[in-house]
């Protein structure tokens, strides 16, 4: 009897142990990274800056630091020049997966950061059923009396900026997103223009007219933008020079006298700051880091990351004047391109100084190719015709070039020359007539074959590799400086960025 009872007790204890482990496992899987400190007890900041480098993770940041170090210290020194935000006192890391995928898009990740909720890729501030809307932190702060600014280097109705004022089942509803901006009660929008401002079929009222009717002042000249101040009222400031996607030019292509992301950040401060007001919240997105990485263009990515740093300089300068009232957060939304610092062809060496030979982005080189195609038949096209512009744009040369002995690493190998010849054949075929096989798709993605092959060759010579033309599942860093900074330390989910901000700002979230 005793033996049987002891056996039953042993079995019960074993079962209890197994059940405990099972529930612990389920609990651990459910909470994910949410076991982090989202409770803040301290002073509430009056001025909040949230900087988002779209597509920016550790590789994008470190590549800019290594490149800057080469420019500053020379090629013989292994040293980096730290970016201003990587020297912030607090650094955390967060996951980026969305409701259904480990590899998210900007709509779902921006929704997570702005509202603290997971959703589907392509969805802005709505749940996965697309029936429930979420309020972003910008709306919650506006209700408390804060002034609100939204800045982006890409179109202002693109996914990331949209997540701070719109609620749409699809990020592609550009017109509907723009109407939400135009009818918002926010105070400052700056940077890129509007995609589909009169609707997809150009049959809708112009959103600029709608914005003006709602009290916005619309400015799109350098003189008007630079004259903005805190007496300007509600403002939409659109860059005078935009590309075909209504975005600012890549920083590598920007003329010295053209407005930059830093200019729009500074003007945002000028418009929003008023000592007598409750304060302000401003989100600034460097959207073209992502676009450069989609195209596997390290030169463009690095330069836009440095432009992003310059915009953060404006916030740092402001914080120095208001150290007890300001919080600055810098993060990304997801990684793009699978950028890696290291390449099989360079083994344990890197040559980031070679990136300095690049003088324009892949997009500008596409224009050169387009002009060439307009004057040359595909039967007559030769790589030799394009060698001078390849040298000017990317610094790549053939062995017979007069500067070959001075720049041996920039000399194209026979293998690289053949790759360029193969890509030129594809480039000379009109895009809608290209019959790509699977290997071609892996080589060129959706980009101009010759342009992307040139960026790959230059990047590989520098010691930079890529795994994708899309986003990846890599985590991203979070940097914080100012009032409430400590709460951003540690590892957590991207939804926790909102939760931490909500706690710091004493917001009631339903």
């Amino acid at each position: 009897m005793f033996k049987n009872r002891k056996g039953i007790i042993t079995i019960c204890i074993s079962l209890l142990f197994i059940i405990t482990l099972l529930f612990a496992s389920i609990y651990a899987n459910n909470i994910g990274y949410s076991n982090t400190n989202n409770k803040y007890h301290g002073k509430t900041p009056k001025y909040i800056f949230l900087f988002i480098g779209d597509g920016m993770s550790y590789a994008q940041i470190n590549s800019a630091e290594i490149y800057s170090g080469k420019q500053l210290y020379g090629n013989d020194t292994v040293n980096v020049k730290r970016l201003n935000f990587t020297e912030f006192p607090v650094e955390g890391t967060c996951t980026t997966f969305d409701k259904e995928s480990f590899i998210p898009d900007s709509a779902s990740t921006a929704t997570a950061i702005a509202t603290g909720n997971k959703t589907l890729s392509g969805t802005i501030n709505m749940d996965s059923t697309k029936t429930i809307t979420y309020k972003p932190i910008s709306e919650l702060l506006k209700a408390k009396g804060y002034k609100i600014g939204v800045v982006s280097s890409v179109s202002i109705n693109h996914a990331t900026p949209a997540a701070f004022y719109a609620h749409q089942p699809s990020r592609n509803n550009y017109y509907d997103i723009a109407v939400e901006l135009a009818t918002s009660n926010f105070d400052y929008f700056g940077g890129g223009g509007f995609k589909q401002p009169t609707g997809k079929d150009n049959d809708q009222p112009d959103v600029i007219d709608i914005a003006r009717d709602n009290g916005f002042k619309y400015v799109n000249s350098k003189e008007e933008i630079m004259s903005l101040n805190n007496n300007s009222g509600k403002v939409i400031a659109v860059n005078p020079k935009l590309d075909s996607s209504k975005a600012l030019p890549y920083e590598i292509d920007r003329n010295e006298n053209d407005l930059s992301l830093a200019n729009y950040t500074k003007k945002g401060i000028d418009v929003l700051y008023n000592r007598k007001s409750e304060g302000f919240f401003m989100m600034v997105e460097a959207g073209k880091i992502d676009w450069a990485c989609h195209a596997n263009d390290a030169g463009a990515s690095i330069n836009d990351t440095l432009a992003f740093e310059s915009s953060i300089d404006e916030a740092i300068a402001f914080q120095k004047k208001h150290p007890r009232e300001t919080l600055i957060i810098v993060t990304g939304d997801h990684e793009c391109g699978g950028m890696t610092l290291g390449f099989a062809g360079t083994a344990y060496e890197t040559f980031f100084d070679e990136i300095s030979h690049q003088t324009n982005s892949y997009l500008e080189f596409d224009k050169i190719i387009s002009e060439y195609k307009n004057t040359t038949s595909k039967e007559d096209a030769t790589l030799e015709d394009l060698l001078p512009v390849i040298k000017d744009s990317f610094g790549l040369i053939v062995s017979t070039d007069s500067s070959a002995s001075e720049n041996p690493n920039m000399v194209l190998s026979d293998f690289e020359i053949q790759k360029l010849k193969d890509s030129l054949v594809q480039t000379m075929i009109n895009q809608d007539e290209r019959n790509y096989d699977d290997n071609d798709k892996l080589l060129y993605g959706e980009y101009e074959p010759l342009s992307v092959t040139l960026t790959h060759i230059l990047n590989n010579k520098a010691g930079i590799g890529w795994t994708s033309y899309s986003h990846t599942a890599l985590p991203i860093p979070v940097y914080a400086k100012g009032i409430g900074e400590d709460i951003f330390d540690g590892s957590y989910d991207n939804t926790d960025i909102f939760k931490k901000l909500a706690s710091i700002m004493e917001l009631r979230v339903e």
Side-chain angles (χ1 to χ4, degrees):
M1 181 74 178
F2 178 77
K3 289 182 179 180
N4 290 339
R5 185 178 178 184
K6 186 176 181 181
I8 291 170
I9 292 172
T10 301
I11 292 171
C12 289
I13 292 172
S14 299
L15 285 172
L16 181 62
F17 180 70
I18 293 169
I19 291 170
T20 301
L21 285 178
L22 178 62
F23 275 101
S25 175
I26 293 172
Y27 177 71
N29 287 331
N30 284 339
I31 66 170
Y33 278 81
S34 66
N35 190 22
T36 182
N37 178 26
N38 288 334
K39 300 297 181 182
Y40 173 75
H41 304 283
K43 183 179 178 181
T44 297
K46 189 173 182 179
Y47 310 107
I48 309 99
F49 294 88
L50 173 59
F51 289 90
I52 299 177
D54 200 312
M56 184 189 78
S57 187
Y58 295 97
Q60 286 76 13
I61 294 167
N62 197 222
S63 63
E65 292 188 321
I66 295 173
Y67 174 82
S68 297
K70 290 290 186 182
Q71 300 298 300
L72 181 63
Y73 302 114
N75 297 332
D76 298 329
T77 303
V78 179
N79 207 342
V80 300
K81 180 182 180 297
R82 297 283 298 276
L83 300 184
N84 54 23
F85 57 90
T86 67
E87 295 188 296
F88 280 10
V90 174
E91 178 181 351
T93 184
C94 72
T95 52
T96 64
F97 58 87
D98 66 25
K99 193 75 172 180
E100 290 189 344
S101 177
F102 283 107
I103 300 177
D105 83 328
S106 293
S108 62
T109 52
T111 294
I113 294 170
T115 73
N117 292 285
K118 295 288 188 184
T119 191
L120 304 175
S121 287
T123 304
I124 295 173
N125 291 344
M126 298 186 77
D127 74 334
S128 56
T129 68
K130 302 182 182 180
T131 59
I132 299 172
T133 60
Y134 303 129
K135 283 188 178 182
I137 190 162
S138 42
E139 289 184 2
L140 296 172
L141 287 173
K142 185 63 180 177
K144 287 191 68 172
Y146 284 74
K147 289 190 173 183
I148 306 298
V150 178
V151 177
S152 180
S153 60
V154 298
S155 59
I156 200 67
N157 55 343
H158 216 259
T160 301
F164 290 86
Y165 62 82
H167 320 77
Q168 291 292 326
S170 173
R171 60 179 289 174
N172 295 324
N173 294 348
Y174 292 111
Y175 183 73
D176 294 334
I177 291 169
V179 169
E180 288 200 66
L181 181 155
T183 55
S184 74
N185 197 31
F186 287 2
D187 303 275
Y188 174 74
F189 293 94
F194 293 99
K195 293 191 73 172
Q196 301 177 6
T198 55
K200 189 175 181 180
D201 299 319
N202 296 315
D203 58 353
Q204 299 295 320
D206 195 317
V207 293
I208 296 171
D209 292 334
I210 296 173
R212 284 176 172 145
D213 290 342
N214 192 40
F216 277 102
K217 179 180 182 179
Y218 178 84
V219 293
N220 67 338
S221 72
K222 183 176 180 179
E223 293 74 18
E224 290 176 305
I225 292 168
M226 295 306 289
S227 67
L228 293 171
N229 56 46
N230 61 9
N231 293 316
S232 298
K234 294 164 57 177
V235 175
I236 299 174
V238 172
N239 200 54
K241 292 186 178 181
L242 299 173
D243 64 22
S244 59
S245 298
K246 305 300 181 182
L248 275 64
Y250 281 106
E251 181 66 15
I252 197 172
D253 301 324
R254 185 176 68 86
N255 294 326
E256 186 177 350
N257 294 323
D258 292 341
L259 294 174
S260 66
L261 187 64
N263 292 134
Y264 287 100
T265 305
K266 175 64 168 62
K267 279 295 115 181
I269 295 170
D270 292 344
V271 170
L272 299 174
Y273 174 69
N274 186 328
R275 192 65 187 170
K276 296 180 181 180
S277 70
E278 290 295 326
F280 66 73
F281 168 88
M282 181 160 54
M283 190 287 297
V284 180
E285 181 211 19
K288 298 198 82 169
I289 298 172
D290 178 70
W291 292 12
C293 291
H294 273 294
N296 293 178
D297 186 340
S301 169
I302 287 169
N303 278 276
D304 265 71
T305 302
L306 295 176
F308 184 51
E309 178 194 30
S310 296
S311 70
I312 297 166
D313 272 331
E314 300 295 340
I316 293 172
F318 180 87
Q319 186 186 45
K320 287 180 180 178
K321 297 177 183 177
H322 309 276
R324 298 180 181 179
E325 300 177 297
T326 308
L327 171 63
I328 306 172
I329 303 160
V330 181
T331 188
D333 53 355
H334 52 72
E335 197 277 339
C336 183
M339 187 184 197
T340 184
L341 311 187
F343 174 66
T346 58
Y348 288 92
E349 298 288 337
T350 57
F351 305 93
F352 274 50
D353 49 299
E354 308 297 12
I355 297 294
S356 63
H357 291 285
Q358 185 174 340
T359 57
N360 50 244
S361 70
Y362 74 94
L363 200 60
E364 286 299 305
F365 194 77
D366 285 352
K367 296 177 183 177
I368 295 172
I369 291 172
S370 181
E371 292 175 5
Y372 181 70
K373 291 175 70 173
N374 287 336
T375 58
T376 310
S377 68
K378 58 184 177 183
E379 292 80 14
D380 294 331
T382 64
L383 183 62
E384 287 70 25
D385 290 342
L386 293 166
L387 287 177
V389 292
I390 289 173
K391 179 180 179 180
D392 289 343
S393 297
F394 297 99
L396 297 168
I397 54 179
V398 292
S399 59
T400 56
D401 190 273
S402 58
S403 62
S405 59
E406 300 172 12
N407 300 292
N409 195 42
M410 300 304 290
V411 175
L412 293 162
S413 66
D414 291 341
F415 174 70
E416 291 166 339
I417 289 173
Q418 188 58 53
K419 285 178 68 176
L420 291 175
K421 288 181 177 179
D422 292 342
S423 66
L424 178 58
V425 170
Q426 292 290 349
T427 282
M428 295 305 295
I429 302 171
N430 291 330
Q431 189 169 10
D432 57 351
E433 297 175 354
R434 290 172 189 160
N435 187 22
Y436 279 175
D437 60 23
D438 290 342
N439 289 331
D440 291 328
K441 291 176 183 177
L442 290 175
L443 283 173
Y444 311 128
E446 298 178 355
Y447 296 91
E448 195 62 71
L450 182 59
S451 296
V452 77
T453 302
L454 285 164
T455 58
H456 281 166
I457 289 173
L458 177 61
N459 294 176
N460 291 166
K461 285 182 178 294
I464 296 171
W466 303 90
T467 66
S468 178
Y469 293 109
S470 302
H471 300 168
T472 70
L474 291 173
I476 55 170
V478 183
Y479 305 92
K481 177 180 174 68
I483 303 301
E485 63 184 29
D486 291 344
I487 201 173
F488 292 93
D489 189 21
S491 298
Y492 40 87
D493 186 59
N494 56 3
T495 55
D496 289 309
I497 295 175
F498 167 83
K499 294 168 186 174
K500 293 173 189 296
L501 274 172
S503 179
I504 290 170
M505 302 309 298
E506 299 179 345
L507 297 174
R508 289 187 178 182
V509 183
E510 297 177 359

